[in-house]
Amino acid sequence: AQSVSQHNHHVILSEAASLELGCNYSYGGTVNLFWYVQYPGQHLQLLLKYFSGDPLVKGIKGFEAEFIKSKFSFNLRKPSVQWSDTAEYFCAVRGFGNEKLTFGTGTRLTIIP
Amino acid sequence: DARVTQTPRHKVTEMGQEVTMRCQPILGHNTVFWYRQTMMQGLELLAYFRNRAPLDDSGMPKDRFSAEMPDATLATLKIQPSEPRDSAVYFCASGLDSFDQPQHFGDGTRLSIL
């Protein structure tokens, strides 16, 4: 079975600070990995995805994530956050051949102006 | 941009009433997923379909919930009878049954059962 852990439940940062949100997954084979963002009152939007190839993936709005297979991790990073990045961030995993996504519990990010 | 459309956006009703939520997947997508989001449980997969056939509804309380796809452009999630613990945001997502394609989410239905 596939599973995802997001250890940071709530992160508070000042504008211009650097961000790293942790994501660890569990699955015994090839995986797809995703980060979704949910702005207050809105639906989930895809930030970035990893399928294969370069383990450093760049997404929208200046976000990037690095897949480290040996650590089963897919941490999300942004060098300088903005107030508009205030949202909830979800990491998700999908094992090869499995259509179901398993989401982490989410990390609420609050950016202080 | 193609989008997943969900109706209604908000629903408030009394306990015991039937609730029907609708989802129009992105044209051409052949997989449809229903999720429930609550503060306590986060995002839970309730059911999903491929080519209109239900593949997995193990996340759904069978006695009161039902999910169907009457045609390729409509998926429904029904609760009968509804209970206060069903209050949540219900999201529909659609995608292609290809390993390298992500799911696209609708805006959700915010359901409150009084």
Side-chain angles (χ1 to χ4, degrees), chain B residues 79-98:
Chain B
I79 308 174
Q80 170 61 26
S82 57
E83 297 181 2
R85 60 182 165 144
D86 301 328
S87 298
V89 182
Y90 291 81
F91 287 102
C92 175
S94 72
L96 292 167
D97 64 349
S98 174

Side-chain angles (χ1 to χ4, degrees), chain A residues 75-89:
Chain A
N75 292 355
L76 181 70
R77 300 195 292 247
K78 186 170 183 178
S80 176
V81 294
Q82 302 171 304
W83 178 79
S84 58
D85 294 325
T86 294
E88 188 140 16
Y89 292 80

Side-chain angles (χ1 to χ4, degrees), chain A residues 30-32 34 36 38 41-46 49 51 88 90 94-105, chain B residues 3 9 31 33 35 37 42-43 45 48 50 55-56 58 91 97-108 110:
Chain A
T30 303
V31 293
N32 286 164
F34 306 83
Y36 282 84
Q38 186 178 29
Q42 295 190 25
H43 63 282
L44 276 77
Q45 302 172 45
L46 184 67
K49 59 187 186 289
F51 291 135
E88 188 140 16
F90 293 90
R94 182 174 66 192
F96 185 79
N98 189 350
E99 286 164 327
K100 295 196 291 187
L101 275 179
T102 299
F103 285 87
T105 50
Chain B
R3 296 187 62 184
R9 291 293 310 277
T31 57
F33 304 80
Y35 293 90
Q37 185 179 37
L43 265 168
L45 178 67
Y48 83 98
R50 188 202 302 143
L55 289 191
D56 187 342
S58 58
F91 287 102
D97 64 349
S98 174
F99 184 53
D100 61 349
Q101 295 298 317
Q103 294 177 17
H104 299 264
F105 283 77
D107 288 335
R110 185 174 295 274

Side-chain angles (χ1 to χ4, degrees), chain B residues 18-75:
Chain B
E18 178 178 299
V19 173
T20 299
M21 291 169 274
R22 293 176 174 81
C23 168
Q24 181 177 5
I26 292 173
L27 190 64
H29 282 187
N30 64 343
T31 57
V32 174
F33 304 80
W34 282 106
Y35 293 90
R36 177 170 62 187
Q37 185 179 37
T38 61
M39 289 291 291
M40 295 301 295
Q41 301 295 329
L43 265 168
E44 304 171 275
L45 178 67
L46 296 175
Y48 83 98
F49 296 78
R50 188 202 302 143
N51 298 325
R52 296 176 54 202
L55 289 191
D56 187 342
D57 61 2
S58 58
M60 215 163 61
K62 302 286 192 305
D63 56 339
R64 299 184 300 107
F65 284 59
S66 62
E68 296 179 347
M69 276 201 78
D71 61 58
T73 64
L74 176 65

Side-chain angles (χ1 to χ4, degrees), chain A residues 8-12 21 86-89 106-110, chain B residues 39:
Chain A
N8 313 108
H9 297 295
H10 190 191
V11 173
I12 303 173
L21 301 182
T86 294
E88 188 140 16
Y89 292 80
T107 296
R108 185 152 58 103
L109 177 64
T110 301
Chain B
M39 289 291 291

